[in-house]
Amino acid sequence: MAEKRIPESARARAAELRKNLNYHIYRYYSLDDPVVSDAEYDSIYRELVDLESRYPGLIEPDSPTRRVGPPPVAGFTQLRHREKMLSLDNATCEGELEAFSGRVLRGLGVGPADVEFVCELKMDGIAVALTYEDGVFIRGATRGDGEVGEDITSNLRTVPAVPLRLLVESPPRLIEVVGEVFMPEESFRGLNDERLRQGIPPFANPRNAAAGSLRQLDPAVTSRRNLSMVTFAVGFSTDPRPSTQWEILSYLGELGLRLGRNAAKVPTIEEAVRFCLEWQEEREDLDYEIDGVVVKVNSLGQQDSLGATSKNPRWAIAYKFPPEEKTTSVLDIQVGVGRTGALTPVVVLEPVRVAGSTVTHATLHNEDEARRKDVRIGDRVLVHKAGDVIPEIVKVITEARTGKEKPFHMPDKCPVCGAQVLREPGEVVTRCTNIACWAQTFERILHFASRGAMDIDGMGEVTVSELLTRGSIGDVADIFYLKPRDLFGIPGFKEKSVANILGAVDAARDRPLWRLLFGLGIRHVGSHVARVLAGPFPSMDMLAAAGEDELLEVDGVGPQIAESVVLFFGQKENMRVIEKMRRAGVRMAAYRERRASGGALEGKTFVLTGTLPGYTREEASEIIEALGGRVTGSVSKKTDYVLVGDDPGSKLEKARGLGVSIVDENEFKRMVGR
Ligand code: IVH
């Protein structure tokens, strides 16, 4: 079909809209100083989307509508940087900054009056290199090993602070700029809150969150992560560069790139030190995380004569802030019981603000850790945040002890159910031995129903606790047998809330297999491993029948996981709960159709081996189950058919030995009428 002719007026209007939008994006994201309201911006944006969808020929790579990008990719390709991206040497105290300046002066053979420095806040994010050709953003890469990084162009396009076109009339033919992509505090908190609600582990810090967001295979995910970026260097340019770092910063600003705030040009190293110490105190007031200050020699001529070692430039250094520590008092030491029965001592603290949030608890992890730290009730302690998020006791201030402090001992009875606790030899974890322990059951059910697992809306702490206490449920399968009267007993439950919960339970009968697997709480099977397992084992029966060797063949499954899976399905109680769920109509396979009755394969058991040219394992299993058959993992006398593909395994031998019918793909197609 011939391309629709584009009227000149449409072309001109699109160009104008694009230019306007790019300017407003720059005002908003690079300068934080918008000149139009969000609504006005939206209306310009919508007009452009509309125009481009009528005339797709108008779409250009720098159009702001291209920010929500192309479909996910399978992996990143490698990109070689034009100029090696160096990293920085660190200084952790005043003395090391002065030593740096000493090296600079000696290296240049000049006196202190001849060298100026530029101090920039060191954003805690991910270094990126952006390439612009004739002003258009064409490529973006991570730092990688400094020489070769990963091509993350599609993801960077979704970051609003990355201009798709430089704002100058005559841009360099080719320029590579260096910057740092980071996640502002507010976006970080929002993202982690959301992850916690969904039962997904939160990111440890904004840096990891930024890295995880940039390395998404699906740019649409990156685009929702509210990333930002600052730039601070020119890696390569076909145009002459300015002669100082200070001018580079204003040059980058003129190109329309976002700069880090609060940079300063200082005449002496003493002033640079002062700058570092000031920001060490004031870092908390920023709405993004910095992990230090970068001090650079201002003159690029001097930079060039100083040169670099194989890793670091000799003309710059990163002053790293020490992690923030505060003192507070220990009010109590409590012991929690988790879903696996693990007893965890938790220190209750007098609330104290550390690195941007109020800390009230710190875990001691296990008995050994508690003994090593010897934290006592009534102690004064020093706390910090590991990885800047998880509160941790650094040490006890023993000098402050009065003798009235109460030492902690791991209890020998479960603090919840009173059962004996046990610490296996060679293990660090102390566990409650009662599988029916209220706390364990509670945590297991809560996990099963959580957003990341079976996602049963309304099955939160209060509901689960009430149902458990009333005896309406005793394990995860009981959820699927709940009756309205079980719920009406809970204070505050009315017609509507009861109907909502029962509706949510009903919907959960049809969740994907991996969610069910993850929800079961098999040790070492997190949501990722659950997905990995559901691929080669697309039904509960297949996974339950799998031996350790078979499991170990799966990419991403190690001995710990394999052992734990086999152990789990080997326990009668677990199989009882699974069968109870099966009877309640819970889907036990990776595919959607539930077992039909009266199908052509009703009651027949299949085992698959080898690769079928025409179907994936999942598709073949889907067809069999849809026709009433069942797919299992290993051949036995009870197997009706072994479906054989190319390169079959030992299952074929076994089938022959047992006299089980062997069918190939063509025969299978006939059987299923395709
Ligand atoms: S200059 C050749 N300036 O810190 C010099 N780096 O530890 C390259 N960073 O890889 C770095 N803010 O990711 C420089 N204002 C800043 C920075 C900065 C953050 C990061 C950058 C670099 C790392 C070095």
Side-chain angles (χ1 to χ4, degrees), residues 100-110 115-117 296-309 312-316:
F100 158 73
S101 146
R103 288 192 300 275
V104 165
L105 299 184
R106 274 196 309 281
L108 294 170
V110 298
V115 181
E116 282 182 324
F117 296 98
K296 303 174 181 176
V297 169
N298 188 29
S299 150
L300 298 202
Q302 290 180 336
Q303 287 188 6
D304 287 342
S305 32
L306 285 163
T309 67
N312 307 318
R314 293 199 185 86
W315 44 264

Side-chain angles (χ1 to χ4, degrees), residues 85-88 90 120-128 143 178-180 230 232-233 291 294 296 313 315-316 318 320:
M85 281 175 82
L86 297 169
S87 63
L88 295 176
N90 289 336
E120 295 166 23
L121 300 185
K122 186 169 180 307
M123 312 300 299
D124 201 6
I126 300 299
V128 293
R143 178 174 176 278
V178 182
E180 188 94 349
V230 295
F232 43 75
D291 60 342
V294 183
K296 303 174 181 176
W315 44 264
K320 289 272 188 124

Side-chain angles (χ1 to χ4, degrees), residues 515-528:
R515 286 184 170 270
L516 179 61
L517 290 177
F518 174 49
L520 289 175
I522 306 169
R523 277 184 81 194
H524 308 301
V525 178
S527 63
H528 173 72

